Amino acid sequence: MVTTDEINYIHINQNTIIFVEHAVFLAGIMSILENHGQKISRVKIENYTNREANSLYIAQVRNDEMKEKASSLLKKDNTTRILFLKESFKIEEIEELIDLGVKGILLTELDEIQLIDAVIQLQKGNIYIDHVYMNELIYRERELVRSSNNSFVLKEILTNKEFEAFLLLSEGLSNIEISKRMGISDKTVKNHISNILDKLEVKDRLAAVVKALKNNWIKIGA
């Protein structure tokens, strides 16, 4: 068990920490991020004391200890942005981790663009969920949808291209997949999504879809 003495660092660090289970992934992730201009340091959670604020760290943590150590860190400083990088997740586990305060859920089977995007989103204070799990998380909100569909509200808020991007986003598609479907660049997709989040006054993609469902702006499924 991790004690409060083992994890003692200054409050409001607003640091981002990546939890990985295997050393081989740790080295690879560090290399990718450093190649993209991210300064990242390897730490041992037990020795994590008085770290520099607004920094990026990575730690090797056993799978069966990740949740416990994340909880201990967040009790000390709930501004810490934690990204879990694992081979697989259960959907119930993801919901528990989000409720706990974990900001990032990412599978080890990823590409460089996805990794960079996830880290940047966490550094901005947003939530990042691997698109593989987005569909199921969205569908678990489907009971919030009433029988009618007021998509015209979204069409008044968003441009035509933003609306198209949002519908694809709500299907759980990644930026790259949206880019291919719309025939536009990944950068343009990111701009569309950034505009969507601003206009809907939410911080992340999942929150945008859930808000649209709750307000009956979109309807998922038959």
Side-chain angles (χ1 to χ4, degrees), residues 135-147 209-210 213-214 216 218-222:
N135 265 340
E136 192 166 352
L137 285 170
I138 291 168
Y139 269 87
R140 290 170 80 91
E141 298 288 339
R142 66 187 182 276
E143 68 276 6
L144 299 173
V145 183
R146 298 187 293 276
S147 58
V209 176
V210 171
L213 286 169
K214 287 182 176 179
N216 196 31
I218 60 172
K219 185 177 181 181
I220 296 176

Side-chain angles (χ1 to χ4, degrees), residues 34-110:
E34 287 171 348
N35 288 339
H36 284 267
Q38 289 275 0
K39 181 180 178 182
I40 183 169
S41 303
R42 180 175 180 175
V43 295
K44 289 186 177 180
I45 298 299
E46 292 78 6
N47 300 328
Y48 186 72
T49 58
N50 298 325
R51 295 288 172 177
E52 183 180 352
N54 299 306
S55 299
L56 177 61
Y57 299 98
I58 190 167
Q60 185 177 355
V61 184
R62 281 175 42 184
N63 182 45
D64 60 353
E65 294 182 346
M66 283 189 176
K67 183 177 178 181
E68 178 188 357
K69 291 195 174 184
S71 177
S72 296
L73 285 173
L74 291 168
K75 284 179 181 177
K76 282 288 187 178
D77 181 1
N78 61 12
T79 68
T80 302
R81 295 96 179 236
I82 301 177
L83 170 64
F84 275 34
L85 187 61
K86 294 174 48 176
E87 293 179 359
S88 65
F89 294 86
K90 293 181 179 179
I91 199 68
E92 294 80 10
E93 176 188 10
I94 293 175
E95 291 179 325
E96 289 177 1
L97 292 173
I98 293 174
D99 289 341
L100 181 66
V102 172
K103 297 294 186 182
I105 302 294
L106 199 56
L107 291 171
T108 52
E109 188 175 341
L110 47 69

Side-chain angles (χ1 to χ4, degrees), residues 85-180:
L85 187 61
K86 294 174 48 176
E87 293 179 359
S88 65
F89 294 86
K90 293 181 179 179
I91 199 68
E92 294 80 10
E93 176 188 10
I94 293 175
E95 291 179 325
E96 289 177 1
L97 292 173
I98 293 174
D99 289 341
L100 181 66
V102 172
K103 297 294 186 182
I105 302 294
L106 199 56
L107 291 171
T108 52
E109 188 175 341
L110 47 69
D111 56 40
E112 292 188 14
I113 294 175
Q114 189 178 8
L115 174 62
I116 298 301
D117 189 31
V119 170
I120 290 174
Q121 289 303 315
L122 261 70
Q123 289 173 329
K124 290 180 178 179
N126 299 334
I127 293 174
Y128 189 97
I129 307 294
D130 197 296
H131 70 275
V132 171
Y133 297 104
M134 280 290 290
N135 265 340
E136 192 166 352
L137 285 170
I138 291 168
Y139 269 87
R140 290 170 80 91
E141 298 288 339
R142 66 187 182 276
E143 68 276 6
L144 299 173
V145 183
R146 298 187 293 276
S147 58
S148 61
N149 183 354
N150 296 322
S151 62
F152 66 87
V153 176
L154 267 184
K155 291 179 181 178
E156 290 180 354
I157 298 173
L158 307 176
T159 66
N160 290 338
K161 287 295 184 180
E162 289 167 355
F163 181 72
E164 183 181 352
F166 183 77
L167 292 181
L168 295 174
L169 181 156
S170 69
E171 293 177 15
L173 271 61
S174 67
N175 284 4
I176 294 175
E177 291 169 328
I178 294 174
S179 171
K180 291 178 180 178

